[in-house]
Amino acid sequence: MTETQIFEPDGRAIPYAAEGEGPALVLVPGRASDIEMLGSLAHSVSQEDFRVVRIGLRAAADDTDAVAPSFREFAQDVVDVMDHLGIDDAWVGGHAFGGSIARRVSLDHHARVNGVLLLGVEAADMAPPLADGLPVLVVQGTEDEVTPPLNGETLQATAPGLVSVVPIEGGGHMFPATHVGATSWAIEDYLDWD
């Protein structure tokens, strides 16, 4: 796997790792995970001639009174790393909370996003809406109790022409790390990266 680096615009410490060459896929981990959780998946997808960039959540402030960053601030972190790496546009996705950040990126920076990849979907009341006109691929563990399959099905019902759902049989919440092959294949098959 690729070594994690830290990008520090305006004093924000944003971890990232990039590997592969070609069109870009940006992945953001869930709230309780770091970018290593998506490392095997990123490596697998990067073998299909794509540049996969994992962007983590910025380091927490030492000040206990500090307010947690908003979706908009996390989305700006993603775009700032994309700019740092010279990436004009990409599919942007993430696992659970990371997918909600990807949705915010697609709303705030629509022209930079080719599509949205959701690895498990947070409940509608916790996530930003979908951006108009962008395709969305939901890859969902069938045994996920944290971001249950119903969340993906509900999202698909709101935009059936844009949202596709691919189940990962037997996958729990951490399916991007435990079912790497099936998850990678679902992404590659959908995007026709072969």
Side-chain angles (χ1 to χ4, degrees):
M1 278 189 267
T2 306
E3 183 177 322
T4 299
Q5 299 181 53
I6 302 294
F7 179 53
E8 298 186 78
D10 305 319
R12 294 171 283 150
I14 308 166
Y16 74 94
E19 63 185 301
E21 298 293 328
L25 169 64
V26 172
L27 296 174
V28 181
R31 190 184 316 264
S33 301
D34 63 19
I35 63 174
E36 296 309 314
M37 181 268 190
L38 296 170
S40 294
L41 177 63
H43 182 71
S44 179
V45 174
S46 75
Q47 299 303 298
E48 296 298 319
D49 298 324
F50 270 74
R51 184 177 192 188
V52 182
V53 179
R54 293 172 283 139
I55 301 174
L57 305 180
R58 67 172 80 165
D62 292 334
D63 181 1
T64 56
D65 294 327
V67 176
S70 67
F71 276 123
R72 280 208 158 90
E73 291 169 318
F74 282 132
Q76 189 61 53
D77 290 350
V78 170
V79 171
D80 287 345
V81 173
M82 288 172 63
D83 288 343
H84 175 67
L85 296 174
I87 298 171
D88 294 327
D89 58 84
W91 268 78
V92 179
H95 178 239
F97 180 74
S100 294
I101 293 170
R103 288 165 72 164
R104 186 80 251 168
V105 173
S106 73
L107 288 165
D108 293 353
H109 305 276
H110 195 276
R112 306 285 302 269
V113 179
N114 300 325
V116 177
L117 169 64
L118 302 175
L119 302 170
V121 177
E122 288 195 308
D125 62 340
M126 296 176 66
L130 294 178
D132 290 336
L134 287 176
V136 177
L137 172 62
V138 173
V139 182
Q140 180 68 60
T142 61
E143 305 300 319
D144 187 342
E145 295 179 3
V146 178
T147 53
L150 180 61
N151 293 357
E153 295 163 11
T154 300
L155 184 65
Q156 185 179 37
T158 67
L162 291 175
V163 179
S164 298
V165 178
V166 178
I168 302 298
E169 292 300 324
H173 186 60
M174 301 304 282
F175 73 90
T178 62
H179 292 68
V180 173
T183 304
S184 180
W185 183 87
I187 294 166
E188 294 162 18
D189 183 59
Y190 179 84
L191 297 176
D192 196 24
W193 290 352
D194 292 322

